[in-house]
Amino acid sequence: MAFSLKGKTAIITGGGSGIGKAISTTFAKQGAQVCILDFNKENGTSTVLEIINKNGAAHFYQCDVSNQKQINTIVTEIVKNNTIDILINNAGIAHVGNIENTNLEDLDRLYNVNIKGVYNGMKAVIPHFKKQQSGVIINMASIASSVGISDRFAYSMTKGSVLTMTYSVAKDYIANGIRCNSISPARVHTPFVDGFIKQNYPDNQAEMFENLSKTQPIGRMGKPEEIANLALYLCSDEASFITGTDFPIDGGFIKLNG
């Protein structure tokens, strides 16, 4: 079976909803044992049950990725019975605002989850990957890592850091058999997007959804499953020659929006 993950164990942060859920279910379908780390217990347990009901293997660990002690404890628990083969640093939060209306609390909150959370995940698994002389890391960046997006100052800052952390880790550990890449989605249709539109545009939700869709040159938002399929390829043995690379999946946003 192409892109098989049979016999592999994958940690997926933020794996209970949206893109993370799509990655969790896709990886489980391809044979991986999925360890979902999510702050939201309801989302995490629901996704685990969905996977188990389809004869997959999954476990849920409630976790705040900004808390290094929590991540270290969970990783230690997982490696008691399994190797860890894959880390997907997907957990993240968004913020709308330019530098003038981004306060220190906003900045700290995004730093703690989007940067520190990625750092914590990699810091915890890399020693195990080094012992195995193998391992794959995917960090979820964003098109905001590479191009200017209006009113996304703090978010862009954090996702730019994710991109450069990816390059650094890929360079530092290539001799240890560790591959590290990033994925940079444009706007993807997730429950977060629906909630954002409902909260901010309650009287014209359909119109705003259409407007946001049209900001992608391809004419629609991405689907979580499309991001998951790219992650699957990058974590499979078929992608064993790929490391230190960012993969935009953006409906043409970066190259065709000029």
Side-chain angles (χ1 to χ4, degrees):
M1 180 172 63
F3 312 131
S4 172
L5 300 181
K6 187 175 181 179
K8 296 185 178 182
T9 298
I11 292 176
I12 303 169
T13 70
S17 64
I19 292 172
K21 179 178 179 178
I23 294 173
S24 297
T25 55
T26 297
F27 280 25
K29 184 178 179 181
Q30 293 301 109
Q33 178 176 220
V34 173
C35 299
I36 295 174
L37 277 60
D38 204 299
F39 187 76
N40 188 306
K41 184 177 181 179
E42 182 179 354
N43 288 342
T45 54
S46 174
T47 300
V48 165
L49 286 174
E50 182 178 326
I51 290 170
I52 291 173
N53 288 337
K54 294 180 180 178
N55 300 315
H59 304 274
F60 170 67
Y61 301 86
Q62 190 168 20
C63 180
D64 173 0
V65 295
S66 70
N67 187 317
Q68 188 177 69
K69 184 177 179 180
Q70 283 188 20
I71 289 187
N72 288 344
T73 299
I74 291 167
V75 168
T76 300
E77 181 67 25
I78 293 170
V79 297
K80 285 180 180 178
N81 301 307
N82 304 279
T83 60
I84 298 173
D85 305 286
I86 297 165
L87 169 66
I88 308 292
N89 274 315
N90 169 75
I93 56 176
H95 178 263
V96 177
N98 58 32
I99 191 169
E100 291 179 281
N101 50 36
T102 300
N103 59 40
L104 282 174
E105 289 75 17
D106 296 327
L107 205 65
D108 287 343
R109 184 170 57 89
L110 266 75
Y111 172 86
N112 285 335
V113 176
N114 294 359
I115 297 178
K116 195 175 173 184
V118 172
Y119 161 82
N120 286 338
M122 293 194 292
K123 180 85 167 176
V125 303
I126 282 176
H128 302 285
F129 285 176
K130 286 177 68 178
K131 288 179 183 177
Q132 301 163 189
Q133 288 292 290
S134 66
V136 183
I137 300 169
I138 300 292
N139 295 323
M140 201 61 63
S142 166
I143 56 168
S145 303
S146 306
V147 297
I149 307 291
S150 299
D151 288 325
R152 295 295 187 276
F153 171 76
Y155 180 75
S156 297
M157 177 201 72
T158 61
K159 291 302 184 178
S161 296
V162 170
L163 193 62
T164 51
M165 281 193 287
T166 298
Y167 296 152
S168 293
V169 167
K171 180 73 172 179
D172 287 340
Y173 296 99
I174 192 169
N176 300 106
I178 299 171
R179 297 193 294 111
C180 185
N181 295 294
S182 58
I183 294 176
S184 286
R187 185 168 281 113
V188 177
H189 184 200
T190 64
F192 173 83
V193 170
D194 290 336
F196 174 82
I197 293 174
K198 184 176 181 180
Q199 179 180 350
N200 292 279
Y201 307 97
D203 299 325
N204 56 343
Q205 294 182 48
E207 179 184 351
M208 285 308 303
F209 183 87
E210 185 69 17
N211 289 342
L212 291 174
S213 298
K214 288 179 178 178
T215 62
Q216 318 304 305
I218 207 168
R220 66 170 176 85
M221 298 187 201
K223 301 174 184 177
E225 294 75 18
E226 292 171 317
I227 315 303
N229 287 335
L230 176 56
L232 172 64
Y233 167 65
L234 292 174
C235 291
S236 71
D237 291 340
E238 284 83 351
S240 60
F241 199 57
I242 300 174
T243 191
T245 304
D246 179 57
F247 289 83
I249 178 166
D250 63 357
F253 188 92
I254 291 176
K255 296 296 186 180
L256 305 180
N257 233 350

